[in-house]
Amino acid sequence: MLLMEKLKIIKSFISIGRYEEFLGNILELSLNQASSYICVSNIHMTIEAYKDKNFKEIVNNADIVTPDGMPLAKAIKWIYGVKQDRVAGMDLMPDLIEYCG
């Protein structure tokens, strides 16, 4: 599996890509026999990671950190010029359940 590229927003590294790429990578991670985790990060989580070094390490060590919310998607566009989909947990969960069902 190729790791998703990440870009730094404040002190957090947020994965970038199309919604479908996130979905595919998450499903691929589920097939691995290794421990991994995903963070679904909104702006509040990004600010908490900025303020708390231990929490920042948890977020930044995640295999995938989705930009859950338009503020992060817009920040990626504004800072890096990359058009980024919003990848919300509320959208991912039903799609993942449908795939597994």
Side-chain angles (χ1 to χ4, degrees):
M1 177 183 95
L2 295 173
L3 294 176
M4 297 187 78
E5 182 180 356
K6 293 182 180 181
L7 297 174
K8 190 174 186 180
I9 301 294
I10 307 176
K11 289 187 178 182
S12 294
F13 289 94
I14 309 298
S15 303
I16 63 167
R18 294 183 344 272
Y19 179 84
E20 295 78 17
E21 292 174 291
F22 278 89
L23 201 54
N25 278 279
I26 292 168
L27 291 168
E28 194 168 327
L29 274 176
S30 73
L31 300 174
N32 290 344
Q33 296 295 316
S35 179
S36 62
Y37 65 96
I38 297 160
C39 290
V40 179
S41 184
N42 58 19
I43 196 66
H44 175 77
M45 190 172 182
T46 304
I47 296 303
E48 291 301 318
Y50 172 76
K51 297 189 314 188
D52 184 325
K53 179 183 175 186
N54 293 326
F55 186 60
K56 176 186 74 171
E57 294 302 316
I58 291 168
V59 172
N60 286 342
N61 286 318
D63 294 278
I64 296 172
V65 182
T66 76
D68 180 2
M70 286 311 292
L72 287 180
K74 296 282 186 185
I76 290 167
K77 172 71 173 167
W78 185 65
I79 296 168
Y80 296 100
V82 175
K83 185 176 186 293
Q84 177 56 55
D85 292 346
R86 174 181 174 262
V87 183
M90 294 296 290
D91 297 331
L92 281 173
M93 188 57 68
D95 288 343
L96 291 168
I97 290 170
E98 182 178 330
Y99 179 83
C100 294

